[in-house]
C-alpha cells in the first residue's frame, strides 16, 4: 500500500527526537511509541509504570512489555536501588 505523508508546519508542542530507536527493526511498534512518548516528558520526570498505564488505554502487561523492550535494547537503563541495610527499595 502506497500513500502520502502530509506534514503540518509546527510552531509549538514538538520535540527533537533521535530517530535511531524508531528505525530499530528489532523493536516492536509499542516500544518505539513509548520511547517517543518518554522523550516529550520533562527531563526531571521519573518513569513510573503505574503512571504510564494511566496515560494510555494499554494495561500493565502491554506497558511493561513495551518498557522491557526499551530496556533490553539499551534505550532505558534500570538499576536496582537498595537501602542502607541492603534491602531492595525499587528501581532508578
Amino acid at each position: 500500500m502506497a500513500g502520502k505523508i502530509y506534514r503540518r508546519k509546527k510552531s509549538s508542542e514538538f520535540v527533537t527526537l533521535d530517530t535511531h530507536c524508531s528505525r530499530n527493526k528489532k523493536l516492536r511498534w509499542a516500544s518505539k511509541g513509548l520511547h517517543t512518548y518518554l522523550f516529550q516528558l520533562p527531563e526531571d520526570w521519573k518513569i513510573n509504570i503505574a503512571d504510564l498505564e494511566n496515560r494510555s488505554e494499554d494495561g500493565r502487561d502491554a506497558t511493561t512489555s513495551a518498557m522491557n523492550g526499551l530496556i533490553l535494547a539499551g534505550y532505558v537503563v534500570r538499576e536496582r536501588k537498595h537501602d542502607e541495610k541492603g534491602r531492595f527499595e525499587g528501581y532508578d
Side-chain angles (χ1 to χ4, degrees):
M1 178 200 282
K4 293 183 178 182
I5 297 175
Y6 295 96
R7 301 180 198 272
R8 292 186 320 180
K9 185 171 178 139
K10 296 165 184 69
S11 59
S12 65
E13 296 199 27
F14 65 93
V15 297
T16 301
L17 182 68
D18 181 346
T19 61
H20 186 270
C21 179
S22 300
R23 292 181 281 114
N24 187 335
K25 291 182 180 180
K26 294 181 181 180
L27 281 178
R28 294 176 175 250
W29 286 114
S31 293
K32 294 175 185 188
L34 180 57
H35 179 267
T36 301
Y37 181 79
L38 293 173
F39 261 82
Q40 62 87 35
L41 294 169
E43 201 167 306
D44 61 345
W45 193 81
K46 302 289 185 204
I47 295 173
N48 180 301
I49 294 294
D51 181 51
L52 288 173
E53 290 171 32
N54 293 327
R55 295 171 179 252
S56 169
E57 289 187 6
D58 289 351
R60 182 193 69 209
D61 293 345
T63 304
T64 301
S65 177
M67 181 61 72
N68 285 339
L70 293 174
I71 292 168
L72 288 172
Y75 293 105
V76 172
V77 176
R78 179 173 62 181
E79 296 176 352
R80 294 174 66 103
K81 290 189 327 184
H82 297 90
D83 65 14
E84 60 280 344
K85 294 183 180 180
R87 293 179 295 209
F88 175 71
E89 275 190 324
Y91 293 103
D92 250 352

